[in-house]
């Protein structure tokens, strides 16, 4: 089980799972990042992918990821893009390349001074009071995560 985000009080819009994403969000609630995995070529794809981007394989399965990655790029929002973010400004939205290769769009938890291209992040999880748990990118300098 991966560590949770250093801060457990993350504010944001309620996330709602549907039939296609239920397995992903059930795993997030248990602290595991799930990706799509292709049994034909042993390739990985981002959640929400319906067919393999690397071969003709069309039978992707959910498979647990290592839960680490690095920052590719990010944006720092000083104005709330949704009222539910108002108490958390500034918020950081990033593209993270996870160890398996896919790029995920994740919210970043940690000091904006620690943002740098290639910075190592650990996938943590927000567990809001309402709605589904979801993955976030945690910068190791935040709270001394192991
Ligand atoms: Zn494939």
């Amino acid at each position: 089980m991966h560590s949770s985000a250093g801060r457990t009080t993350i504010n944001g819009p309620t996330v709602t799972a549907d039939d296609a994403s239920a397995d992903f969000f059930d795993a997030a609630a248990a602290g595991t990042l799930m990706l799509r995995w292709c049994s034909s070529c042993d390739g990985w794809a981002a959640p929400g992918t319906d067919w393999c981007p690397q071969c003709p394989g069309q039978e992707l399965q959910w498979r647990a990821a290592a839960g680490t990655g690095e920052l590719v790029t990010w944006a720092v929002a000083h104005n709330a893009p949704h009222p539910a973010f108002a108490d958390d400004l500034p918020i950081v939205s990033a593209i993270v390349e996870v160890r398996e290769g896919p790029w995920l769009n994740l919210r970043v938890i940690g000091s904006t001074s620690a943002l740098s291209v290639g910075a190592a992040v650990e996938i943590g999880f927000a567990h809001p009071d309402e709605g589904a748990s979801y993955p976030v990118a945690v910068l190791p300098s935040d709270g001394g995560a192991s």
Side-chain angles (χ1 to χ4, degrees):
M1 181 168 163
H2 303 292
S3 66
S4 60
R7 290 184 303 176
T8 55
T9 54
I10 296 173
N11 298 296
T14 301
V15 175
T16 304
D18 61 14
D19 287 346
S21 62
D23 288 346
F24 175 84
F25 287 110
D26 285 349
T32 299
L33 175 67
M34 299 294 273
L35 298 173
R36 303 298 279 168
W37 176 77
C38 175
S39 60
S40 296
C41 72
D42 194 31
W44 294 84
T49 306
D50 291 327
W51 60 87
C52 182
Q54 299 160 70
C55 83
Q58 295 187 8
E59 295 187 14
L60 300 185
Q61 307 165 26
W62 288 112
R63 192 176 236 199
T68 59
E70 61 181 47
L71 286 179
V72 176
T73 188
W74 61 89
V76 179
H78 296 277
N79 295 297
H82 184 284
F85 290 120
D87 291 337
D88 286 14
L89 295 175
I91 63 167
V92 181
S93 178
I95 300 294
V96 172
E97 181 175 316
V98 294
R99 182 191 293 180
E100 292 78 8
W103 288 14
L104 307 184
N105 187 342
L106 299 172
R107 187 163 162 194
V108 177
I109 304 304
S111 170
T112 55
S113 65
L115 293 167
S116 67
V117 172
V121 296
E122 182 174 341
I123 306 302
F125 295 88
H127 302 288
D129 292 337
E130 291 185 32
S133 298
Y134 54 90
V136 296
V138 182
L139 288 163
S141 58
D142 184 54
S146 59

